[in-house]
Amino acid sequence: MEAANPDWEGWVEELTISEQRVATELLEEYLQRIQGRDRAALQKLGCALGIDEEAQHKLHNGNRFERFWALRWILRLDIDVKTEVLQNTSKDYPETRAAAARVLYEQEQPDAAQAGTELLLQGSESLSVLGIDTLYQLNKLSPEPLITSAKGSYDKWTESRLIQVLQVIGEAGPSKPDATLGWIGFLFLSESPNVRAAAAQSLSGYGWHKDVRSAVDIEQIRADESPKVRRAVYRMLGTWDDKESTDGLISAIKTESSPRAAIDAIVALEDQVAQVPESDLSTASVAAGDWVLRSKYGNKEAAQ
């Protein structure tokens, strides 16, 4: 590794089959941890061991497990594979789709966001941990590919997949003004409180978006029957920070029956909670207000 031109081929020729297997195992371990010039040198060792050719062969001709193995090595050795090849050889199984999308992201392919998102969102089942993280990485700066793909197929997904995608949208950076987000607003009509709560989470910070404001009825969603949903809605309204959302939060603390939800509403209102006389607050909100004061200032300062 320290040599200017390490003779990996000559060294590999001296290894027994067992030694080559151990070298491959160690190479896999090191490539997960090493970056920079040393990583580039180790990638050449992978080629000397013939892993690059084996990965290409298995990608085109292997079963699902061999293709997954191939994609892992394509990523570690930074093997150049065209986007269309990755799409066509990996689309049949969730684990290979996730691995192929990760290759697109790590190699910074120009069309990585669009192609990788489309790969990940095929099918309807829940995404793996790798799939969720890759979906976020591909869309974290500009989630338009995810929003566009989700709009056309979200109604075919399982509930768990839909919630995962909504969570990624909520964590990603803001979309452009012309992104279509109204479909998320209609999810507040879902029978599942988990979906309604995830919809609220995904729309945090989107109070400025015309599609969202036209699809979301603040008075309706702030009175949701589920305390879990109301909590998510209050947090969402706190990020919208305009008169309509503030009025909705003020109305909420006058009627809220759940102490935990009342805490979220009061925290979302911040100093504007002082606009409401204590006599107008619900019992839960009075208790929540005391708790917030004590948490923020400590017992002595809250008492004063």
Side-chain angles (χ1 to χ4, degrees):
M1 284 177 59
E2 296 301 323
N5 293 295
D7 182 19
W8 290 122
E9 288 80 7
W11 182 69
V12 168
E13 286 177 0
E14 298 174 355
L15 301 179
T16 66
I17 298 299
S18 296
E19 289 171 337
Q20 289 185 28
R21 184 175 64 253
V22 173
T24 300
E25 292 172 354
L26 289 172
L27 176 63
E28 182 175 16
E29 178 184 341
Y30 293 158
L31 285 175
Q32 295 180 57
R33 295 184 289 150
I34 296 176
Q35 300 296 328
R37 185 176 66 85
D38 288 343
R39 181 180 178 84
L42 286 171
Q43 287 173 334
K44 292 178 181 178
L45 169 58
C47 296
L49 287 164
I51 298 173
D52 56 336
E53 294 180 359
E54 186 178 2
Q56 292 272 21
H57 175 76
K58 287 184 175 179
L59 180 65
H60 288 86
N61 304 295
N63 58 35
R64 62 190 294 185
F65 304 106
E66 291 171 331
R67 290 181 181 184
F68 184 67
W69 179 93
L71 287 162
R72 285 164 49 205
W73 277 107
I74 285 169
L75 181 58
R76 292 184 179 121
L77 299 181
D78 196 21
I79 300 170
D80 185 23
V81 180
K82 292 182 178 179
T83 299
E84 309 83 66
V85 173
L86 287 171
Q87 290 174 313
N88 293 335
T89 57
S90 309
K91 62 185 178 181
D92 294 335
Y93 304 102
E95 61 269 30
T96 53
R97 291 198 296 267
R102 194 70 183 196
V103 171
L104 290 169
Y105 166 70
E106 295 286 354
Q107 292 186 348
E108 299 181 348
Q109 297 282 2
D111 55 352
Q114 186 66 46
T117 297
E118 289 177 358
L119 262 177
L120 287 165
L121 295 186
Q122 290 180 27
S124 62
E125 65 286 326
S126 300
L127 298 173
S128 64
V129 174
L130 174 64
I132 296 171
D133 182 68
T134 304
L135 190 65
Y136 170 73
Q137 298 297 338
L138 289 168
N139 290 274
K140 63 183 178 182
L141 298 180
S142 182
E144 279 73 27
L146 174 56
I147 292 169
T148 301
S149 295
K151 178 181 178 292
S153 51
Y154 75 91
D155 56 343
K156 305 178 187 68
W157 293 340
T158 61
E159 180 178 309
S160 56
R161 159 75 76 88
L162 177 56
I163 290 171
Q164 287 176 329
V165 170
L166 290 171
Q167 289 171 339
V168 172
I169 291 173
E171 293 293 329
S175 70
K176 297 176 182 176
D178 59 351
T180 305
L181 288 169
W183 62 273
I184 300 179
F186 293 118
L187 293 176
F188 287 108
L189 302 175
S190 169
E191 295 180 358
S192 168
N194 294 326
V195 170
R196 300 198 301 273
Q201 176 190 342
S202 72
L203 294 178
S204 290
Y206 278 109
W208 55 268
H209 201 286
K210 272 197 280 186
D211 266 7
V212 173
R213 297 309 288 259
S214 63
V216 173
D217 184 335
I218 291 178
E219 282 302 302
Q220 179 183 359
I221 64 174
R222 71 147 187 100
D224 194 282
E225 64 182 8
S226 167
K228 176 180 180 179
V229 177
R230 295 199 300 275
R231 293 184 66 194
V233 167
Y234 298 156
R235 292 192 292 267
M236 177 194 78
L237 293 177
T239 68
W240 287 12
D241 195 25
D242 60 12
K243 184 178 185 306
E244 189 178 358
S245 59
T246 299
D247 289 346
L249 287 168
I250 288 174
S251 297
I253 62 175
K254 293 178 180 180
T255 59
E256 181 56 64
S257 59
S258 166
R260 292 188 68 183
I263 289 172
D264 284 303
I266 288 170
V267 170
L269 275 169
E270 296 182 335
D271 295 338
Q272 297 177 89
V273 73
Q275 299 175 23
V276 187
E278 186 172 317
S279 59
D280 289 348
L281 297 177
S282 68
T283 302
S285 294
V286 171
D290 290 341
W291 188 91
V292 171
L293 282 174
R294 292 177 187 278
S295 299
K296 188 174 182 180
Y297 300 111
N299 289 344
K300 183 177 179 181
E301 292 84 351
Q304 293 174 345

